[in-house]
Amino acid sequence: MSATPSVGAFAIVPSNDLPGALPFWRRMGFAITGGSHEYIIMTGWGCEVHLIQAGSGPWRVPADHNPFGVFIRTPEVEAIAARVDDLIIRPGGVLRHREWGLYEVGIAGPDGLLVRVGWPSALIGDGPAPAPRGQK
């Protein structure tokens, strides 16, 4: 990890098979930078994701209807989407400018995890101008 900690909120993502989830995150462009065998800290694209081994019984991740999701905010949306093209949720998750003002892609992660990667459309050269507050 970096010598100077960054300020922010970081998702703690539970996984039913933590070692099995690591290839997904590596493919997304993240590298292990800390943690232990049951709690792993990964960084990439200027972001940090914390992964934890889920428990059993009621602590197991319901993969068929996983309530968890992660949003990765980075200008490198296209580069990440290209790394995981076969995991993009289609048709709804394809890379495009969304009405809520983000250039975004939806990716199917381990255990049914929704991973969205995006950046404000207004900061992308060909992005639409954001609608005034309260309007679409």
Side-chain angles (χ1 to χ4, degrees), residues 10-79:
F10 307 102
I12 300 173
V13 181
S15 179
N16 291 330
D17 176 12
L18 184 56
L22 295 178
F24 168 82
W25 292 101
R26 286 186 182 111
R27 186 172 168 198
M28 289 277 295
F30 287 82
I32 296 173
T33 55
S36 66
H37 71 285
E38 289 194 2
Y39 190 98
I40 296 173
I41 300 168
M42 299 188 85
T43 57
W45 309 104
C47 302
E48 190 170 306
V49 176
H50 293 222
L51 309 174
I52 190 168
Q53 176 62 52
S56 59
W59 297 105
R60 189 160 179 75
V61 174
D64 290 342
H65 53 279
N66 190 337
F68 302 107
V70 174
F71 186 87
I72 298 168
R73 182 184 296 262
T74 176
E76 302 301 328
V77 183
E78 290 180 2

Side-chain angles (χ1 to χ4, degrees), residues 80-92:
I80 295 173
R83 295 173 73 106
V84 294
D85 182 68
D86 60 312
L87 300 176
I88 292 174
I89 300 168
R90 299 179 196 280

